[in-house]
Amino acid sequence: MGLTDVSERSGPDACPGAFQTHSAADGAVARIRVPGGLLIPRQLRELGHTAASLGSGVIELTSRANVQIRGLRGDAEREFATRMTAAGLLPSATYERVRNILASPMAGLDGHGLIEVAPLVRELDLAICSRPALADLPGRFLFAVDDGRGDVAALGADIALLPPAFVLIAGQDSGLRVSPAEAVPVMVAAAEAFLAERGSDDSKAWRISELPDGPARIAARLGGHATAPPPRPRGGGVAAVAGKQMGALAQPGGWAALSVMPPLGRLSAAQAHAVATAADTGDGEIRLTPWRGVIVPGLTWADAELWLPRLADVGLITDAASPWTGVTACTGRPGCAKSLADVQADAVRALSAAGARGAAGAPVHSALPVHWAGCERRCGRPSGPAVLVVATGHGYRVDAGGRSVSCAGIEETASAISGTRTTADGPPGTTET
Ligand code: SF4
């Protein structure tokens, strides 16, 4: 892939935050970074309450395991930031947009990883927010802390830890080897090296991959030597099923974790409340995933069996065989003025059409993710293999595996998606929203 031409950029990236919101057709959009996707029940309840009372009523889960609320108008923006600060979700106004940290959502829960990631996520978050220079990182810059299974290391982060010892820079092996205890200082140093290299070029790059020879230059500053391809993960090799494990999942010690997903990644206040209440009966922890799912760990099996149908009753997907699994959509009409279609409504219609033809139940473990987009920007598209369904103004174009099919109606679009979705597995990825 060629280098992105960044010379025409006029300034910093426009990724929204809680203070620097994005103006959309349906009001302001505010995004809250959730390092590692880690929330506690009280925070999810507050997000749901805030979405319902100040915004559109929905918490949007992003492909970086962050959350955003749209439809904020007038004084609601300021009130939003006040509430998020009180909830502990905005520890720093200066660094709020740069705390982009992915983490393996199932770390420590299923025996597939090599390390526990939550302590490293917290250490990395604190380290980022304590370095004055890193306040200048672009909002698109991304860290990943993988537990060794290779799920989030595969998502195109600028700097990723892949245990047992690898540091990846823009997906390439940096040649650096670190223990988990040594990882955070090296990751922070790599981010500072990016800013230094960017400065030396007077570049407008937002990502390491946008700098000429970026991985090699940054690795060299740290005493490494970047090479491709990246190492194969050793921690279970389960990246390919990331985001496709749903329902009640067995944890070591006889415990259970619930893995659920809101349709199209849009969590209502009632659903948020139900998830938070379920989490109260477990470890008191909620993990958002880069696949727009939610994991509630540490329940007894009795509580898991009690809560799974309750979560299904409020409209959450609890079964991996659901046709909704792996289906995402950008905002589309009416929220985005650029959109050529109401992609979320059309995605629902296409799923209904596929279900009517008996095609909706294709085994999701062998299905590519599907992403609907209202225009060619394709916001929120997965970075790995995927079926992209792009509005054209006179229907949709279905892109997959280097082939494109133009479709005039929803039936035709649904049929084209079904025909392209079941190919070789690849981990869903992330370019946020
Ligand atoms: S892909 Fe286009 S229509 Fe969808 S949110 Fe992005 S800009 Fe808007």
Side-chain angles (χ1 to χ4, degrees):
M1 200 156 40
L3 211 60
T4 303
D5 180 7
V6 301
S7 60
E8 297 299 314
R9 286 178 181 162
S10 56
D13 72 279
C15 278
F19 296 103
Q20 177 187 308
T21 58
H22 167 72
S23 178
D26 57 349
V29 180
R31 185 176 299 162
I32 295 286
R33 269 64 181 182
V34 185
L38 302 171
L39 289 173
I40 57 175
R42 177 175 57 80
Q43 292 172 326
L44 187 60
R45 276 196 193 89
E46 181 57 37
L47 281 164
H49 172 64
T50 300
S53 56
L54 299 179
S56 67
V58 165
I59 305 166
E60 296 182 340
L61 308 185
T62 81
S63 54
R64 289 182 167 189
N66 291 323
V67 295
Q68 63 184 31
I69 289 175
R70 55 190 316 118
L72 301 170
R73 297 183 185 277
D75 287 345
E77 284 188 57
R78 194 179 318 145
E79 176 63 16
F80 173 81
T82 301
R83 290 192 193 180
M84 294 299 100
T85 302
L89 288 164
L90 271 177
S92 163
T94 307
Y95 293 88
E96 60 134 342
R97 292 191 324 119
V98 305
R99 303 167 65 230
N100 293 298
I101 307 173
L102 291 176
S104 298
M106 288 296 288
L109 302 184
D110 60 0
H112 285 298
L114 301 177
I115 64 166
E116 183 53 86
V117 295
L120 283 178
V121 168
R122 295 190 182 103
E123 183 187 345
L124 179 58
D125 186 22
L126 282 173
I128 292 169
C129 295
S130 68
R131 302 289 186 116
L134 295 188
D136 291 334
L137 276 177
R140 299 193 183 204
F141 198 87
L142 180 64
F143 297 88
V145 180
D146 198 291
D147 73 348
R149 74 184 67 206
D151 57 352
V152 295
L155 297 184
D158 293 275
I159 301 164
L161 172 68
L162 177 60
F166 301 103
V167 177
L168 309 187
I169 298 182
Q172 296 187 22
D173 182 5
S174 65
L176 301 165
R177 300 292 180 262
V178 295
S179 69
E182 298 165 330
V184 166
V186 172
M187 296 175 82
V188 166
E192 291 176 331
F194 163 70
L195 292 174
E197 289 293 335
R198 187 176 78 150
S200 69
D201 280 5
D202 204 16
S203 166
K204 294 169 183 160
W206 296 332
R207 307 292 307 269
I208 290 176
S209 60
E210 295 171 349
L211 270 182
D213 297 322
R217 290 161 61 188
I218 289 160
R221 274 187 181 255
L222 303 179
H225 178 71
T227 59
R232 288 176 63 81
R234 278 199 232 155
V238 292
V241 295
K244 297 174 182 174
Q245 297 168 304
M246 308 281 294
L249 310 176
Q251 287 182 229
W255 301 96
L258 297 178
S259 173
V260 301
M261 189 175 287
L264 301 180
R266 294 160 53 81
L267 193 69
S268 71
Q271 290 168 341
H273 184 79
V275 168
T277 308
D280 284 335
T281 70
D283 284 344
E285 183 185 316
I286 295 158
R287 303 183 184 189
L288 306 181
T289 81
W291 305 282
R292 296 180 168 96
V294 181
I295 292 171
V296 179
L299 280 76
T300 63
W301 274 100
D303 279 336
E305 285 169 3
L306 183 73
W307 273 101
L308 200 61
R310 289 184 181 175
L311 297 182
D313 284 348
V314 293
L316 292 165
I317 302 159
T318 59
D319 183 349
S322 164
W324 289 95
T325 305
V327 180
T328 54
C330 78
T331 301
R333 279 185 190 158
C336 178
K338 292 190 175 71
S339 185
L340 300 170
D342 184 346
V343 288
Q344 296 189 6
D346 286 346
V348 174
R349 290 170 60 207
L351 281 167
S352 300
R357 286 187 293 103
V364 175
H365 62 271
S366 62
L368 291 172
V370 176
H371 184 69
W372 291 69
C375 77
E376 297 293 342
R377 287 187 65 180
R378 297 169 294 169
C379 299
R381 68 190 180 279
S383 62
V387 179
L388 297 178
V389 187
V390 184
T392 59
H394 40 80
Y396 284 93
R397 194 186 67 245
V398 178
D399 298 335
R403 293 179 52 221
S404 292
V405 180
S406 293
C407 306
I410 291 299
E411 281 275 353
E412 198 182 339
T413 305
S415 174
I417 293 169
S418 298
T420 53
R421 202 179 173 194
T422 50
T423 61
D425 259 341
T430 169
T431 47
E432 191 162 34
T433 75

Short mmCIF file of all heavy atoms in Angstrom, two decimals, residues 330-332 336 338-339 373-375 377-379, ligand 1:
data_model
loop_
_atom_site.label_atom_id
_atom_site.label_comp_id
_atom_site.label_asym_id
_atom_site.label_seq_id
_atom_site.Cartn_x
_atom_site.Cartn_y
_atom_site.Cartn_z
N CYS A 330 -21.97 2.96 9.61
CA CYS A 330 -21.63 4.31 10.01
C CYS A 330 -22.91 5.05 10.41
O CYS A 330 -24.00 4.47 10.42
CB CYS A 330 -20.89 5.05 8.88
SG CYS A 330 -21.98 5.65 7.57
N THR A 331 -22.80 6.32 10.72
CA THR A 331 -23.97 7.09 11.16
C THR A 331 -25.02 7.20 10.06
O THR A 331 -26.20 6.96 10.26
CB THR A 331 -23.54 8.49 11.60
OG1 THR A 331 -22.59 8.34 12.66
CG2 THR A 331 -24.72 9.31 12.05
N GLY A 332 -24.60 7.55 8.87
CA GLY A 332 -25.54 7.69 7.76
C GLY A 332 -26.55 8.80 7.97
O GLY A 332 -26.42 9.62 8.89
N CYS A 336 -25.58 12.27 9.54
CA CYS A 336 -24.42 12.76 8.81
C CYS A 336 -24.86 13.40 7.50
O CYS A 336 -25.50 12.74 6.66
CB CYS A 336 -23.45 11.62 8.52
SG CYS A 336 -22.02 12.17 7.57
N LYS A 338 -23.19 14.14 4.98
CA LYS A 338 -22.53 13.62 3.77
C LYS A 338 -23.19 12.34 3.26
O LYS A 338 -22.90 11.90 2.14
CB LYS A 338 -21.06 13.31 4.08
CG LYS A 338 -20.19 14.52 4.36
CD LYS A 338 -18.72 14.10 4.40
CE LYS A 338 -17.80 15.30 4.54
NZ LYS A 338 -17.88 15.90 5.86
N SER A 339 -24.03 11.76 4.06
CA SER A 339 -24.53 10.43 3.72
C SER A 339 -25.50 10.45 2.54
O SER A 339 -26.35 11.34 2.42
CB SER A 339 -25.21 9.80 4.92
OG SER A 339 -25.58 8.47 4.62
N ALA A 373 -21.75 1.85 4.81
CA ALA A 373 -21.27 3.23 4.87
C ALA A 373 -22.10 4.11 3.93
O ALA A 373 -22.46 3.69 2.83
CB ALA A 373 -19.80 3.31 4.48
N GLY A 374 -22.36 5.33 4.38
CA GLY A 374 -23.20 6.23 3.61
C GLY A 374 -22.47 6.98 2.51
O GLY A 374 -23.09 7.66 1.69
N CYS A 375 -21.14 6.90 2.50
CA CYS A 375 -20.38 7.54 1.43
C CYS A 375 -18.99 6.91 1.35
O CYS A 375 -18.66 6.03 2.16
CB CYS A 375 -20.29 9.07 1.63
SG CYS A 375 -19.08 9.57 2.88
N ARG A 377 -16.17 7.76 2.25
CA ARG A 377 -15.23 7.84 3.38
C ARG A 377 -15.24 6.56 4.20
O ARG A 377 -14.28 6.24 4.86
CB ARG A 377 -15.59 9.02 4.28
CG ARG A 377 -15.23 10.37 3.67
CD ARG A 377 -15.45 11.49 4.66
NE ARG A 377 -14.55 11.38 5.81
CZ ARG A 377 -14.52 12.22 6.82
NH1 ARG A 377 -15.34 13.24 6.84
NH2 ARG A 377 -13.68 12.07 7.81
N ARG A 378 -16.33 5.86 4.21
CA ARG A 378 -16.45 4.55 4.87
C ARG A 378 -15.98 4.59 6.32
O ARG A 378 -15.20 3.75 6.77
CB ARG A 378 -15.69 3.48 4.06
CG ARG A 378 -16.27 3.30 2.66
CD ARG A 378 -15.39 2.46 1.79
NE ARG A 378 -14.15 3.15 1.52
CZ ARG A 378 -13.08 2.60 0.96
NH1 ARG A 378 -13.12 1.34 0.61
NH2 ARG A 378 -12.00 3.30 0.75
N CYS A 379 -16.44 5.60 7.04
CA CYS A 379 -16.05 5.74 8.46
C CYS A 379 -16.38 4.46 9.23
O CYS A 379 -17.44 3.88 9.05
CB CYS A 379 -16.82 6.89 9.11
SG CYS A 379 -16.52 8.48 8.36
S1 SF4 B 1 -18.96 7.22 5.92
FE1 SF4 B 1 -19.74 9.12 5.03
S2 SF4 B 1 -21.91 9.05 5.54
FE2 SF4 B 1 -20.91 7.61 6.92
S3 SF4 B 1 -20.45 8.79 8.78
FE3 SF4 B 1 -18.63 8.85 7.44
S4 SF4 B 1 -18.88 10.77 6.28
FE4 SF4 B 1 -20.88 10.25 7.13
#
